[in-house]
Every structure is written in structure tokens, then in C-alpha cells.
Amino acid sequence: MNDSTFDKGLHDLGRGGYAWLQPDGGFGLSNAGLIVDSGECLLVDTLTNLPLTREMLDGMRAAVPAAQRIGTVVNTHAHPDHTAGNSLLEGAEIIASAAAAEEMLFIDSPANPMKNLLANWQQFGEAGAYMHETMGKFGVHDAAQKMPTRTFDSELTLTVGNKTVQLLKVGPAHTKGDVAVYIPQDKLVFTGDVLFHQVHPLLFPGSVDSWVAACDRILAWDVETVVPGHGPVTDKRGVQGLRDYIVYFRTEARKRFDAGLGYVEATRDIALDAFRGWADEERIFGNVHTFYVEFGAQPLPMFEVMAESGRYRRLKMAACAQHGDGCQEAH
């Protein structure tokens, strides 16, 4: 599939593989997948809430008869935009890495600061406004979370009909428990959020070195089709593109850290270059801050960094409204 093909809905990848895509791949708009063979099927991830997941399941069932009964769901990681619809899969086995299952318990608990922020966003100033603008419409935590019924540590091999499906823990990267779903005979992989394609990734609170290593691991596989967690379907070039992104911003951030610039000034000074036009551009502030902490800077409160991202987002949106296609005026 060409990178330019990024329409909402179900995409037939051939040989029993399907991707459900949600443009523009930004906050809350994740992808999912379906693997079908001999009347059996496996679902890769659910979506940000019950309505979006229900729409996806209806679309899959209308196009793929085997999807009338989905026996297995794999959650590639713990974030709600890949798990919040689990409860709609009654009777299905839900599989995740043990690390992801542990993170899911925390995300669903009252101790999760993001859950509190989304519920009480008016109390959190600019950070609360930013998260309400980007995620508030989804009602991420409105439904009770359905946890995995089966976990594994590093690898798990499943069969779907006559297909072999390998679940490979490649995290910590985006999260501690990231899993790639690899179908070797089809040269197909569903990466979850190890890959953001044409979308700025959220490097915080991930492990940057391990994330690069996860990209290298996927690049070493015999793969032709790559379904990212966010963004259009791609191939290995998309994986290489995210690896290049991490290396580029880390290198540029290091130059400015060594020169004594603060992270905000550094972020505004780094040219977007090959990554211009990617969705959710304001995430560069959190990403550069992540690198600064790696270099030895004192970490700032998460809500402070989010507020800076929100200010940039609003500035950029105002520039887009004023200049039409001149949407890079804010940077």
C-alpha cells in the first residue's frame, strides 16, 4: 500500500490481512488490524472508546465474514487508544505482554494523573485545556477497562487457521510492554506505537535507546507491509523514518543543550526538515525535553511541558487559519 493511501476504514492488505485506519493519526486516532485464515481471525488492538471500536467491528463484520466471531484480541501496548474497546469482544481471549498488563492496571487506576487531568481538566490551566482539546472528545476512561486474560514475557506463537502469528515483545520503547504482531509468511507486521508514521511520536515516557533498538529489530525482519499504531500503512521505509526522527532530534537537541539553550528555545530552533507536515507537531516540545533529561537536565513537571505544547499548538492553528497553506509559520 502506498503511503498516500490514508482513508478512514478497512483496508485489505491481501492474504487475509486487514488494517483499520483513522486519519490523521493524531491524538486518539489509532490504527487496528485483523488477521484472517480458514474462518478464524485475530484482532490487533481495539480503539480509543466504545463507539469507535463498535464502528470498526461493524465495518469488519460487514466486509469479512470470519469477523462475526473474533476469538482472540492482542493489545500491542497499554495505552487506552489501543485497549479501551476490549469490553466489546465478549468471550474473546485478550492477550498482552505481562508488562503491558501491569501498565494497563495503573492507567485504569485513580493513581493515574492523566485520568485525573482529563476528568478535571479545568483545574489544570493550559495543560488541562490542551488535553481537553486533543483528547476530551473521546471519553477515554468512560467505560470500565477489560484487562488481558493471557499474558507472556517475551514471545508467544499463535495460529490463526493455518497462519503462524508471532507476538514479539520489542519494548520498552513507546511503553514498557510494546508488542509487535508479525506474520512471517505474509511479510506483514502490526507494530502498535513502536511506529508512528507521518505523525510526531510521543517519546515520553518511553526508553529512547530501546526504541531505536526496536526499530532495528523490525528492520531486520523479512517484512514488506507495516501497519503502524498511528498513520498510513507503510513498509520498512516508515520504520527507518521514525528511527531517523529519533536520531535527528536527539542530535540536534544535544547541540543546543551543550550550547546552554533551554529546552523551549532549543525546540523552536530545530528545523523540522524531513519531518515537516507530520501530524501533532507540538509533540516536539515533549520530545526535546525528554532528550534534555537524558542529557542531565532537571526534569520539569509534566503539566508544564504539556502547557508549552498547547501554546504552540494554538499558535500553529492560528497561523494555519490566517495563512491557509502557510501552516509552518508558527515554527
Side-chain angles (χ1 to χ4, degrees):
M1 181 178 292
N2 190 292
D3 281 357
S4 63
T5 305
F6 193 21
D7 299 322
K8 181 179 178 179
L10 191 66
H11 294 255
D12 188 344
L13 307 175
R15 295 177 286 191
Y18 298 85
W20 183 270
L21 306 182
Q22 295 192 102
D24 64 353
F27 276 106
L29 297 173
S30 55
N31 299 330
L34 191 67
I35 302 165
V36 180
D37 191 68
S38 302
E40 297 182 4
C41 62
L42 177 151
L43 180 67
V44 181
D45 284 332
T46 56
L47 301 180
T48 309
N49 57 29
L50 297 185
L52 286 174
T53 302
R54 191 174 290 111
E55 178 187 15
M56 175 184 73
L57 293 174
D58 287 346
M60 289 177 170
R61 287 164 178 160
V64 183
Q68 296 297 327
R69 186 186 183 283
I70 296 172
T72 305
V73 181
V74 175
N75 291 143
T76 58
H77 63 292
H79 288 167
D81 55 334
H82 297 261
T83 68
N86 284 357
S87 62
L88 294 180
L89 281 303
E90 292 186 15
E93 181 176 54
I94 299 175
I95 303 175
S97 71
E102 183 178 346
E103 286 184 301
M104 286 171 69
L105 285 171
F106 171 76
I107 287 171
D108 201 45
S109 75
N112 177 11
M114 287 302 299
K115 186 174 183 179
N116 184 37
L117 181 147
L118 285 168
N120 304 284
W121 64 271
Q122 301 95 331
Q123 302 174 18
F124 291 88
E126 290 184 292
Y130 170 52
M131 290 311 298
H132 181 68
E133 290 167 10
T134 55
M135 289 296 293
K137 61 182 176 287
F138 293 110
V140 175
H141 298 288
D142 288 354
Q145 176 65 278
K146 186 174 183 180
M147 296 295 168
T149 58
R150 182 181 183 184
T151 63
F152 65 98
D153 291 325
S154 59
E155 297 184 12
L156 180 64
T157 298
L158 305 174
T159 56
V160 177
N162 295 312
K163 286 186 187 294
T164 297
V165 178
Q166 297 179 357
L167 310 185
L168 303 164
K169 182 176 175 290
V170 294
H174 178 61
T175 67
K176 293 179 181 178
D178 296 299
V179 168
V181 181
Y182 178 36
I183 306 93
Q185 69 195 72
D186 295 339
K187 300 183 179 182
L188 168 65
V189 64
F190 298 86
T191 66
D193 284 2
V194 172
L195 179 59
F196 288 71
H197 181 48
Q198 298 178 4
V199 180
H200 287 267
L202 282 165
L203 298 184
F204 173 84
S207 173
V208 177
D209 283 333
S210 295
W211 202 330
V212 171
C215 289
D216 288 338
R217 189 173 174 187
I218 294 170
L219 288 168
W221 297 342
D222 185 12
V223 167
E224 293 178 353
T225 305
V226 179
V227 181
H230 295 260
V233 175
T234 184
D235 52 25
K236 283 188 178 181
R237 290 173 294 180
V239 182
Q240 184 65 50
L242 182 67
R243 189 191 192 284
D244 292 346
Y245 177 104
I246 295 171
V247 172
Y248 171 77
F249 277 98
R250 177 191 249 168
T251 300
E252 295 301 312
R254 183 80 219 197
K255 293 175 185 176
R256 289 154 180 81
F257 176 82
D258 291 344
L261 274 65
Y263 95 92
V264 173
E265 186 180 3
T267 303
R268 292 185 176 276
D269 191 56
I270 297 173
L272 292 175
D273 286 356
F275 314 106
R276 189 173 300 277
W278 285 24
D280 290 344
E281 189 175 294
E282 74 276 4
R283 290 176 178 170
I284 55 178
F285 286 90
N287 293 341
V288 172
H289 175 260
T290 295
F291 292 131
Y292 265 49
V293 172
E294 176 187 297
F295 302 151
Q298 185 69 25
L300 298 172
M302 176 180 65
F303 294 158
E304 183 176 328
V305 179
M306 291 168 58
E308 193 66 51
S309 299
R311 287 190 285 271
Y312 181 88
R313 180 184 179 93
R314 287 190 293 275
L315 177 61
K316 183 170 172 56
M317 291 177 66
C320 286
Q322 181 177 356
H323 299 285
D325 62 358
C327 288
Q328 304 305 328
E329 295 293 326
H331 190 73

